[in-house]
Amino acid sequence: MTTKTQHRLTFFTPKSTDSNGAIFIDSGISAGFPSPADDFRETRISLDEELISNKEATFFAKVSGQSMIGAGLDDNDLLVIDRSLEPKNNKIAVCFLDGEFTVKRLRVEKNEVWLQPENPNYPIINITEDNDFVIWGIVTNVIKKI
């Protein structure tokens, strides 16, 4: 069975820093009426501490493609992937399928596994015993540039 490549992932290693994190304004940023500037407090936040629960099993990868736009995963987004999490129905997973990495929503029904894109222009992939298939990790967060 041949499958059209819908999503390629480029694995990414962030540069390590010795900083204590970026400045975090914990009062919230108003999307309505502005709040007085003297009402906010400034603290520091580490995205590693906020986004990663298992450092040894967590990886980053950049998305390439459009098959998951309905799930909010766009071209060049940075995925946070945890390999220690158990794959479950409806989770978004990074999978190794027939020699390529792809990211899709898992659909597990009875004894069948399907990889569901979140874009109607891409086909659903039914995993069979003929496929070289591994669920590599579960996507826990996505980081976007705007």
Side-chain angles (χ1 to χ4, degrees):
M1 178 174 117
T2 59
T3 57
K4 176 172 124 180
T5 300
Q6 290 109 12
H7 247 310
R8 291 185 186 257
L9 298 173
T10 304
F11 288 90
F12 176 77
T13 305
K15 296 176 185 154
S16 81
T17 64
D18 292 331
S19 75
N20 292 326
I23 293 173
F24 175 63
I25 300 171
D26 64 357
S27 65
I29 303 295
S30 175
F33 295 105
S35 60
D38 58 357
D39 288 346
F40 75 86
R41 292 182 321 194
E42 206 177 86
T43 57
R44 294 213 169 258
I45 186 172
S46 165
L47 291 181
D48 282 356
E49 290 175 18
E50 294 295 318
L51 302 178
I52 298 172
S53 59
N54 186 342
K55 188 174 183 176
E56 300 304 316
T58 300
F59 295 83
F60 296 91
K62 283 194 174 184
V63 174
S64 174
Q66 300 294 317
S67 73
M68 293 298 288
I69 59 173
L73 305 183
D74 297 306
D75 198 40
N76 289 319
D77 283 351
L78 185 63
L79 302 179
V80 181
I81 305 156
D82 189 334
R83 295 195 69 195
S84 70
L85 296 177
E86 183 179 333
K88 294 181 182 176
N89 185 52
N90 211 33
K91 293 289 185 181
I92 295 176
V94 171
C95 303
F96 188 72
L97 176 62
D98 298 330
E100 295 185 22
F101 282 100
T102 188
V103 58
K104 299 285 181 285
R105 188 171 302 279
L106 293 175
R107 293 286 181 218
V108 181
E109 298 174 7
K110 299 177 184 167
N111 290 329
E112 291 188 296
V113 175
W114 299 80
L115 299 182
Q116 173 78 47
E118 296 284 343
N119 181 334
N121 295 326
Y122 293 87
I124 299 170
I125 302 168
N126 182 8
I127 302 302
T128 69
E129 59 188 34
D130 295 331
N131 293 113
D132 179 15
F133 176 70
V134 175
I135 298 172
W136 197 79
I138 302 299
V139 176
T140 59
N141 292 281
V142 60
I143 301 170
K144 298 181 160 297
K145 286 187 180 180
I146 55 171

